[in-house]
Amino acid sequence: MDNRQAIGSWLSGPRAAAEDMGVEFGYPGQRLGLPQQGPGSAARFGRRLGGVAIDWIACQVIAYGLITGGNATATGNWTLLLFVALSILTVGTVGFTPGKRLLGLRVVAEDGGRLGFGRAVLRTLLLALVIPALVWDRDGRGLHDRMARAVQVRI
């Protein structure tokens, strides 16, 4: 075996090595019965991150301008509180936050129905901890989505 080939497989990770051996992983969302592309398909990381960023920035602007009166020290805590409240209320009722809606995303239950308030609370509290959102499965769902039995899909 050429040393460059061994280094290449190490750098590309275990998934690439398994694919080279013939393992078929399918596309993200296939195990959940979602289409590969278009409406209803699993949301990609970039859109999900963009939706969270839009929501976070909006909450930060509200906290800075309306609640703390420009006190930058207190803005961080208020931003997190507003973000949690926004996520629980909007995902629990309509299935998306303003940022997700702008980017064409919706949070649904694994069976395709509405997520519900209790699971929206669990999902949001885990999202606020940040770490569960950084651990993904092969469908691109964060641990917070898996625990709440939710999936983010394109509208």
Side-chain angles (χ1 to χ4, degrees), residues 10 20-21 37 71 108 121 131:
W10 175 77
D20 289 343
M21 291 188 299
Q37 297 176 346
N71 182 355
V108 296
V121 169
I131 300 299

Side-chain angles (χ1 to χ4, degrees), residues 48-64 67 75-92 96-100 107 120-130 133 144 152:
R48 293 190 328 256
L49 181 62
V52 168
I54 290 169
D55 293 331
W56 185 263
I57 291 169
C59 290
Q60 195 165 31
V61 168
I62 292 168
Y64 184 79
I67 297 175
T75 300
N77 293 332
W78 280 105
T79 301
L80 180 61
L81 183 66
L82 285 172
F83 180 80
V84 167
L86 172 79
S87 295
I88 289 172
L89 292 175
T90 57
V91 171
F96 49 78
T97 62
K100 289 184 190 330
V107 179
V121 169
L122 173 64
R123 180 185 181 278
T124 300
L125 293 178
L126 289 171
L127 178 62
L129 293 175
V130 178
H144 65 298
Q152 292 187 56

Side-chain angles (χ1 to χ4, degrees), residues 9 47 49 53 71 85 106:
S9 67
R47 278 192 183 194
L49 181 62
N71 182 355
R106 175 178 227 115

